[in-house]
Amino acid sequence: MTHASDQDRVLIFDTTLRDGEQSPGATMSHEEKLEIASLLDDMGVDVIEAGFPIASEGDFRAVSEIAKNSRNSVICGLSRANFKDIDRCWEAIKGAGRSRIHTFIGTSPLHRAIPNLTMDEMADRIHETVTHARNLCDDVQWSPMDATRTEHDYLCRVVEIAIKAGATTINIPDTVGYTAPRESADLIRMLIEKVPGADDIVFATHCHNDLGMATANSLAAVEAGARQIECTINGLGERAGNTALEEVVMALKVRNDIMPYATGIDTTKIMNLSRRVASVSGFAVQFNKAIVGKNAFQHESGIHQDGVLKNVETFEIMKPADIGITGDNIVMGKHSGRAALRSKLKNLGVELGENQLNDIFVRFKDLADRKKEVYDDDILALVSISDDATPDHLALKSLRVVCGTDGPQQADMVMVVNGAEKTATTTGDGPVDAAFNAVKEIFPHAAKLELYQVHAVTQGTDAQATVSVRLNEDGRIVTGSSADTDTVVASVRAYVHALNRLVVRRDKTGGDTKEISYKDAG
Ligand code: KIV
Ligand code: ZN
């Protein structure tokens, strides 16, 4: 893009709800997708890729509703290189104030072999599909999937065809996370130099993190002339994930002296979004993750603490407040009221609606009755497991577990299943196993347990445990989470949460699992 005023502006294209949500296990509910889209819009994301409308009825509904509710962001939908996908995509996004069709096809030798198209046939397909998309929508993005492993001559040829057919953004995906920073920059530079019409469009960079270079590759592409970065919150995405939004945005802000490019992101909203995405996707953020990890602003060693106390800049290159974390001295306990909780949450960078706040307040009071001091992390754990709108088909009523050195452990459980009380007494290899066996006896199902994860929220033997459970039933993947000072109770609640979500997905969609294949370009 050559307009002088746009030279230094880098567009942020967020694909948490498409590439991020596509990663196995990160499935979000309809309401969660709407909430995340609204937070992204508020934060100043330029383009929200809201989903893949042809992938399922659920994706179509979510993209349509996100489009209708959009305020400032452009709403984009993904489509493969065929008219049916593109038409479906347009149907979903056309209600937005500003909409974009994103269409793609794999152009590298390995990807060309899948639909079995010759180079010429693929070139024709690109011309036809981009033309079709442009006849529907003024804003069309085209991506040669696996661009970084595509022959340079062919890449230049197809990019030129897409531009001539009306594409307004050309995205260069490093689909398998294979490129390195210098190569990423060279590729963008080559395209800008060689392809006729390149000056009239925006080049985007879309990197995956398989070799841990996604952020560096994206920034290198920007320095070479790309003016759109595609990224996800927390780097969510298939395999090792996508470029993390918080990393590129904060790198551009903190090192603006050597990378003088601006984004439209309100960085103080980053932490809240990071927590919400971690919570709804079930993908916890690693403690030492750049920018949003729990330890990103903590100073443990004596030398560091000493330095920070004397001058915070000795070991801090950015302030916690820059991403929405502001400290306070309020200690929470059972006498703390709703106003104190609201203020605490605000200081932690969490923004909640009135209903959510009420829900968290009830849980907070319950926790404060059992735990003398409620730490910031305890409160964040309550937020992260705050109820979604999933109806309770089954709910835990009571649980008693007998443990001991002589095993086997035994669980006595009462559950309410669709209004009726059911009981079970089961044994297992450990208390959690015994309790999960009771759930299976009361509510038989074929879902496979794919992930069981426990984290202690704080230190101390009265610490809360947060538990995540991921289930897979015939490709329908759901995640449940819960927190409690009793690890077994938290585990069963997380399991039950996941089962409730599974029931909803079965009811709503029957076979609505995403079995879409990228190879079906035709
Ligand atoms: O990584 C990739 O190539 C993609 C495309 C669909 C743009 O996500
Ligand atoms: Zn991708």
Side-chain angles (χ1 to χ4, degrees):
M1 202 169 197
T2 51
H3 316 294
S5 58
D6 293 340
Q7 277 296 340
D8 306 332
R9 176 73 158 83
V10 172
L11 301 171
I12 297 297
F13 176 110
D14 181 279
T15 182
T16 306
L17 296 172
R18 199 280 296 170
D19 221 343
E21 211 253 350
Q22 203 169 291
S23 68
T27 319
M28 300 173 197
S29 71
H30 183 76
E31 291 71 26
E32 288 164 347
K33 288 182 192 173
L34 298 191
E35 182 202 341
I36 299 298
S38 168
L39 292 172
L40 291 168
D41 201 327
D42 270 357
M43 186 170 71
V45 159
D46 298 286
V47 188
I48 298 173
E49 189 164 49
F52 195 174
I54 198 122
S56 70
E57 209 38 59
D59 262 41
F60 181 83
R61 274 194 319 117
V63 177
S64 311
E65 213 157 319
I66 289 169
K68 280 184 207 124
N69 295 340
S70 63
R71 293 177 295 273
N72 300 309
S73 308
V74 174
I75 304 303
C76 174
L78 184 68
S79 50
R80 292 166 299 183
N82 68 70
F83 287 12
K84 204 166 149 225
D85 269 43
I86 293 170
D87 291 345
R88 189 77 174 143
C89 175
W90 174 238
E91 269 313 299
I93 59 168
K94 68 181 183 191
R98 292 186 297 155
S99 341
R100 173 180 297 185
I101 296 176
H102 179 189
T103 180
F104 75 97
I105 195 163
T107 50
S108 67
L110 282 166
H111 283 261
R112 287 200 302 268
I114 299 174
N116 202 14
L117 294 176
T118 64
M119 282 177 156
D120 287 345
E121 284 166 345
M122 183 165 282
D124 289 346
R125 174 70 61 83
I126 293 162
H127 173 75
E128 284 160 14
T129 49
V130 175
T131 305
H132 183 69
R134 187 57 206 264
N135 284 337
L136 297 170
C137 183
D138 282 348
D139 187 346
V140 172
Q141 171 165 328
W142 180 74
S143 296
M145 186 164 71
D146 206 13
T148 53
R149 294 191 299 169
T150 300
E151 304 91 327
H152 286 186
D153 285 351
Y154 191 58
L155 188 62
C156 287
R157 176 177 166 201
V158 288
V159 166
E160 184 180 346
I161 288 170
I163 294 175
K164 284 206 174 117
T168 43
T169 301
I170 300 288
N171 175 38
I172 301 300
D174 182 29
T175 306
V176 291
Y178 178 71
T179 199
R182 197 177 329 130
E183 193 180 52
S184 170
D186 288 347
L187 193 58
I188 296 289
R189 211 172 281 121
M190 177 201 72
L191 290 166
I192 292 176
E193 275 166 21
K194 287 201 174 158
V195 176
D199 283 352
D200 303 325
I201 54 99
V202 173
F203 275 101
T205 175
H206 175 114
C207 298
H208 282 263
N209 203 28
D210 299 64
L211 292 172
M213 292 193 280
T215 295
N217 290 337
S218 304
L219 295 173
V222 166
E223 294 194 289
R227 285 294 176 269
Q228 175 174 297
I229 300 180
E230 308 212 352
C231 46
T232 59
I233 301 290
N234 298 339
L236 192 69
E238 293 206 64
R239 308 184 311 277
N242 290 60
T243 302
L245 179 146
E246 62 278 8
E247 292 179 14
V248 284
V249 167
M250 289 311 288
L252 291 177
K253 185 178 165 95
V254 174
R255 294 313 313 273
N256 204 255
D257 53 333
I258 55 164
M259 293 182 286
Y261 310 101
T263 73
I265 299 293
D266 174 356
T267 63
T268 64
K269 311 246 179 200
I270 284 179
M271 202 61 212
N272 186 43
L273 248 158
S274 164
R275 290 188 184 123
R276 288 308 294 147
V277 167
S279 161
V280 302
S281 67
F283 277 63
V285 174
Q286 78 194 51
F287 282 13
N288 58 341
K289 162 86 180 61
I291 319 292
V292 291
K294 187 170 147 67
N295 292 353
F297 292 95
Q298 293 203 349
H299 306 279
E300 281 279 335
S301 88
I303 294 177
H304 285 214
Q305 285 180 348
D306 193 43
V308 168
L309 287 174
K310 289 190 176 111
N311 177 357
V312 78
E313 285 180 17
T314 44
F315 287 102
E316 265 184 22
I317 57 165
M318 54 197 151
K319 296 186 202 68
D322 293 345
I323 60 157
I325 307 172
T326 49
D328 64 35
N329 294 317
I330 303 172
V331 179
M332 303 292 283
K334 66 178 177 188
H335 300 299
S336 308
R338 197 182 300 259
L341 181 66
R342 190 199 305 273
S343 145
K344 167 67 79 184
L345 286 167
K346 191 161 176 271
N347 287 333
L348 290 169
V350 180
E351 291 164 33
L352 295 180
E354 211 46 41
N355 288 346
Q356 282 170 301
L357 181 72
N358 290 342
D359 174 46
I360 303 293
F361 187 64
V362 172
R363 289 160 187 251
F364 161 72
K365 279 289 182 194
D366 178 49
L367 181 66
D369 274 342
R370 287 179 286 141
K371 208 167 175 283
K372 219 168 87 204
E373 280 174 326
V374 179
Y375 301 108
D376 289 0
D377 285 340
D378 284 318
I379 291 171
L380 290 172
L382 293 181
V383 175
S384 78
I385 52 112
S386 112
D387 255 349
D388 54 27
T390 312
D392 283 349
H393 291 268
L394 48 155
L396 177 67
K397 183 158 186 218
S398 72
L399 172 66
R400 186 158 297 281
V401 180
V402 181
C403 293
T405 49
D406 302 331
Q409 283 67 30
Q410 182 180 311
D412 295 306
M413 183 178 286
V414 183
M415 282 240 262
V416 180
V417 183
N418 293 325
E421 260 187 33
K422 298 201 170 179
T423 59
T425 296
T426 48
T427 55
D429 193 1
V432 174
D433 192 46
F436 278 24
N437 286 340
V439 175
K440 276 182 238 155
E441 191 172 307
I442 290 173
F443 189 76
H445 56 270
K448 258 184 57 203
L449 181 68
E450 284 201 335
L451 173 97
Y452 169 68
Q453 196 168 270
V454 186
H455 282 299
V457 174
T458 56
Q459 286 158 359
T461 48
D462 69 344
Q464 283 194 94
T466 54
V467 179
S468 302
V469 164
R470 190 187 305 150
L471 301 176
N472 183 341
E473 185 188 68
D474 298 331
R476 275 181 285 262
I477 299 172
V478 288
T479 310
S481 55
S482 186
D484 200 282
T485 47
D486 184 321
T487 308
V488 186
V489 170
S491 302
V492 171
R493 291 218 174 104
Y495 191 8
V496 167
H497 183 208
L499 285 171
N500 279 322
R501 287 180 143 189
L502 194 60
V503 173
V504 171
R505 285 202 71 194
R506 278 188 203 147
D507 285 356
K508 226 192 251 172
T509 59
D512 186 23
T513 53
K514 286 189 194 170
E515 275 155 13
I516 196 100
S517 146
Y518 282 160
K519 81 170 194 241
D520 183 17

